[in-house]
Amino acid sequence: MSEQIRVRYAPSPTGHLHIGNARTALFNYLFARNLGGKFIIRIEDTDVKRNVAGGEENQLTYLKWLGIDWDESIDIGGGYGPYRQTERLDLYREYWQELLDKGLAYKCYCTEEELEQEREEQTARGEMPRYSGKHRSLTEEQRTAFEAEGRIPSIRFRVPENRTYTFNDLVKGQISFESDGIGDYVIVKKDGIPTYNFAVALDDHLMAISHVLRGEDHISNTPRQLMIYEAFGWEPPVFGHMTLIVNENRKKLSKRDESIIQFIEQYDKLGYLPEAMFNFITLLGWSPEGEQEMFTREELVSVFTANRLSKSPAVFDTNKLSWMNNEYMKKSDVPRIVELCIPHLQEAGRLPEALSASEHDWARDLVALYQDKLRFAADIVPLTELFFLPEAADEDEAKTVLAEEQVPVVLQAFLEQVKAMETFDVDGIKAAIKSVQQATGFKGKQLFMPIRAALTGQTHGPDLNQTIALLGQAKVEQRLQGRLV
């Protein structure tokens, strides 16, 4: 094991950056940065059939979006490359040949049909399906005969018998596996591509990885990797397996679970802030000391320790994420939030694609009016709907207010004030409402609520004067006249 702290995030480019993978990357990043170590990104792309176009690029793009940087990878190089597995095939070949030469691995000529039949027979007998080892001790003549049939072999690791493999997990504590429950497993497929457990063990050793932090779904892979380390006489890294992320019903987070947004790219497109996502994801399975929940990246680097990783599943609380992102939205500079929101208004057809200076100023003021209410930038569309409707859509409470007997008097007086205004701005609107109060004698809720309800269809909302100013003089006159018909 390396004396220096060296950790890695090793995604397969079989899809875009998922929330669970982002957490794995983030925990490794924080662990390394807290201890002054190195964070490496390695691309595990040997499952060629499942790799998707743009998968690799998406992983790196959205790790950067989250605020994660790294010390070695495909894009910046480093002293332990190549950092893409398909570029390391010649290296793997040397090591699997060494295992073959030592008798620690062997060629297996079983067909998929034979293996499937074996599994079915084991299941029928109530046994746990595993490879029986039927080609463990083939003679040279048998191997020659299989090859004469055109069979292409895979390479299997010869699992030691009657052995217990134990490791101390950073999260789970001591974990043991009996080798007799693990059949000889494939380390090189028939196409000459190494399998995950073989390649990852070699890569972690050759890249001097000191600690492996990953999801608990990898626990069952660990004994197989320990066997590879043992076969070569290498010291294994320290393993830590993080608990699952579950939804609010305590079910494992699934990519088919539509109640939770699954991919980091989706959060970006909805207008979540990366620093809020960084903060929220860190708290999925890790907890700081004390009650603080809002942290900067630098604060999290300074306080992150592996002994605070949770032993219980992490619940993905969508309401908490909404609350946290809203807190970050409220504290952000207005221009930043405006630029996040405008594309959503344009996509909804609320704003033209090319904005004039006055249109941009109006959009800026509109977003600023609702900034405190935004869970994420896309919220600006439903929140501001009332500004784009031909007439206000009345909520039930607004209908009740508009049925009060003083309403026609208040609205008529306000309409007269609006028509007389030469400059339609917040100060002028304040003065106009004050004049209505003096002319009609109504004040407080009897004055403000009818005006708000008539113009917005709502009884609650942001600052009334600013709302009226943004509606504009023509629309305000139109809506008031519509109420007085």
Side-chain angles (χ1 to χ4, degrees):
M1 186 179 74
S2 172
E3 291 183 7
Q4 183 188 42
I5 299 295
R6 287 176 59 83
V7 298
R8 49 72 171 177
Y9 167 60
S12 299
T14 53
H16 291 184
L17 183 60
H18 183 262
I19 198 83
N21 292 336
R23 183 187 69 163
T24 297
L26 204 157
F27 282 179
N28 277 281
Y29 166 80
L30 291 172
F31 183 80
R33 293 290 178 260
N34 176 267
L35 296 172
K38 300 292 185 183
F39 175 55
I40 296 97
I41 293 181
R42 182 176 71 228
I43 303 298
E44 298 185 345
D45 61 342
T46 54
D47 193 353
V48 178
K49 292 179 181 178
R50 294 182 59 226
N51 292 344
V52 300
E56 190 177 286
E57 179 184 8
N58 185 274
Q59 292 275 339
L60 299 184
T61 295
Y62 282 97
L63 289 173
K64 290 176 183 176
W65 180 82
L66 280 170
I68 295 175
D69 60 90
W70 44 91
D71 302 292
E72 302 168 27
S73 190
I74 57 172
D75 56 339
I76 57 177
Y80 295 84
Y83 293 91
R84 189 182 283 111
Q85 283 188 335
T86 51
E87 297 173 5
R88 298 170 65 82
L89 297 180
D90 289 341
L91 182 154
Y92 300 137
R93 190 172 293 109
E94 294 177 23
Y95 285 95
W96 81 58
Q97 187 59 53
E98 181 179 339
L99 293 180
L100 286 170
D101 292 344
K102 291 179 176 178
L104 299 175
Y106 60 91
K107 293 181 179 180
C108 172
Y109 294 85
C110 291
T111 64
E112 283 303 317
E113 292 76 18
E114 289 170 339
L115 292 171
E116 179 59 31
Q117 182 179 349
E118 184 176 87
R119 286 191 290 267
E120 289 176 358
E121 290 171 354
Q122 289 170 335
T123 301
R125 294 194 298 268
E127 299 172 3
M128 181 69 72
R130 69 185 182 95
Y131 178 64
S132 65
K134 63 196 299 183
H135 285 188
R136 237 180 178 234
S137 303
L138 293 177
T139 64
E140 186 64 35
E141 291 75 14
Q142 288 172 315
R143 285 195 289 271
T144 301
F146 281 133
E147 288 175 9
E149 291 178 22
R151 294 199 188 196
I152 299 173
S154 60
I155 299 175
R156 290 184 181 270
F157 184 81
R158 195 182 298 274
V159 173
E161 297 177 1
N162 303 315
R163 287 285 308 280
T164 301
Y165 287 87
T166 300
F167 62 98
N168 282 311
D169 192 279
L170 279 173
V171 181
K172 308 281 186 181
Q174 185 168 292
I175 299 176
S176 296
F177 288 88
E178 301 301 324
S179 66
D180 290 348
I182 303 171
D184 293 349
Y185 56 94
V186 174
I187 58 173
V188 184
K189 293 176 284 188
K190 294 178 187 293
D191 61 2
I193 302 294
T195 59
Y196 169 77
N197 280 311
F198 184 65
V200 74
L202 264 61
D203 288 343
D204 284 344
H205 172 75
L206 297 173
M207 292 182 179
I209 299 302
S210 65
H211 295 74
V212 173
L213 302 179
R214 57 191 180 185
E216 67 177 22
D217 52 326
H218 282 286
I219 289 178
S220 62
N221 289 321
T222 308
R224 292 170 171 80
Q225 292 162 25
L226 290 174
M227 291 175 194
I228 301 297
Y229 275 88
E230 181 182 69
F232 289 110
W234 298 335
E235 182 182 356
V238 176
F239 292 97
H241 292 90
M242 299 166 287
T243 56
L244 297 173
I245 301 175
V246 297
N247 63 22
E248 291 164 16
N249 296 318
R250 303 280 172 169
K251 297 288 178 66
K252 179 183 175 181
L253 199 62
S254 162
K255 292 178 182 178
R256 294 184 296 275
D257 185 348
E258 296 183 359
S259 68
I260 292 174
I261 299 169
Q262 298 284 320
F263 296 95
I264 301 301
E265 180 179 6
Q266 293 172 287
Y267 287 99
D268 175 30
K269 293 188 183 308
L270 284 169
Y272 281 80
L273 296 179
E275 58 269 36
M277 294 301 298
F278 189 106
N279 191 160
F280 176 77
I281 295 171
T282 302
L283 300 179
L284 285 174
W286 177 85
S287 60
E289 295 183 18
E291 301 299 319
Q292 183 179 347
E293 291 190 295
M294 303 282 285
F295 295 88
T296 64
R297 180 177 60 168
E298 293 72 24
E299 287 172 335
L300 286 168
V301 165
S302 70
V303 300
F304 186 90
T305 57
N307 64 1
R308 302 291 303 179
L309 288 170
S310 174
K311 293 177 172 57
S312 303
V315 178
F316 193 105
D317 185 339
T318 53
N319 290 327
K320 183 174 181 178
L321 174 57
S322 294
W323 165 80
M324 183 171 285
N325 200 65
N326 172 252
E327 290 296 310
Y328 277 91
M329 298 285 273
K330 289 190 289 190
K331 294 173 184 176
S332 291
D333 295 336
V334 172
R336 181 187 183 193
I337 303 304
V338 170
E339 294 312 306
L340 283 175
C341 289
I342 282 177
H344 292 283
L345 290 167
Q346 290 171 319
E347 186 178 348
R350 304 281 172 83
L351 293 175
E353 289 189 16
L355 296 177
S356 66
S358 61
E359 287 169 334
H360 190 279
D361 288 347
W362 183 85
R364 176 200 62 210
D365 292 343
L366 181 69
V367 172
L369 186 63
Y370 284 90
Q371 183 171 346
D372 285 358
K373 301 293 184 184
L374 293 170
R375 297 170 301 161
F376 44 85
D379 261 353
I380 196 66
V381 175
L383 282 173
T384 60
E385 184 178 32
L386 69 93
F387 291 88
F388 303 96
L389 295 172
E391 57 186 35
D394 295 341
E395 296 175 352
D396 289 342
E397 290 183 10
K399 292 177 183 177
T400 301
V401 168
L402 292 171
E404 295 173 2
E405 61 181 350
Q406 87 282 8
V407 169
V409 175
V410 169
L411 297 186
Q412 183 63 50
F414 187 52
L415 175 59
E416 292 170 3
Q417 291 291 326
V418 168
K419 286 181 175 180
M421 291 175 67
E422 294 183 4
T423 303
F424 196 76
D425 57 18
V426 170
D427 289 338
I429 291 163
K430 285 182 182 178
I433 294 176
K434 185 69 174 176
S435 296
V436 172
Q437 177 184 334
Q438 293 170 345
T440 65
F442 294 110
K443 59 183 179 179
K445 287 186 176 182
Q446 287 188 310
L447 173 64
F448 295 107
M449 291 289 261
I451 294 174
R452 181 183 291 278
L455 295 177
T456 70
Q458 302 169 359
T459 55
H460 303 283
D463 183 84
L464 179 59
N465 299 310
Q466 293 180 17
T467 299
I468 295 171
L470 285 167
L471 280 167
Q473 192 167 11
K475 186 167 285 188
V476 168
E477 285 188 26
Q478 175 191 346
R479 289 189 179 181
L480 288 172
Q481 287 171 338
R483 300 293 187 178
L484 291 167
V485 172

